[in-house]
Amino acid sequence: MERAGTGLGCDDVLESLTDYLEEALPAGRRRRVADHLGACPACSGCLGQIRATIAVLGCLRHGVVPAPVLNALWESFLTS
Ligand SMILES: [Zn+2]
């Protein structure tokens, strides 16, 4: 995947998306992730799908996204 000129690669951003959604990232990294999302349609699309999926599952209310759920999400997003 291509870098979007923010210093973070798509892989870095995707790894940080759940922490981003849970507002668990340090401010500096959160800003870099946000910058990348603003510049990268692929990652912002993933963010939207994850946000919608998590909302449906209600995972955020528990503060945890189960790893099997995340893995399934990544595979469905990254291979589509
Ligand atoms: Zn990206």
Side-chain angles (χ1 to χ4, degrees):
M1 281 182 266
E2 294 181 12
R3 288 177 180 272
T6 63
L8 288 179
C10 290
D11 289 347
D12 297 320
V13 171
L14 291 175
E15 284 178 7
S16 299
L17 277 186
T18 51
D19 285 341
Y20 179 80
L21 285 171
E22 292 171 5
E23 302 191 2
L25 292 175
R29 183 167 181 91
R30 179 178 176 80
R31 193 177 66 243
R32 290 165 72 198
V33 170
D35 285 348
H36 181 102
L37 289 168
C40 179
C43 286
S44 61
C46 279
L47 176 67
Q49 291 183 62
I50 291 168
R51 198 193 297 269
T53 303
I54 288 175
V56 168
L57 294 177
C59 291
L60 276 184
R61 272 176 284 165
H62 305 292
V64 173
V65 181
V69 173
L70 271 186
N71 290 337
L73 286 174
W74 293 143
E75 289 190 13
S76 67
F77 296 159
L78 297 179
T79 60
S80 61

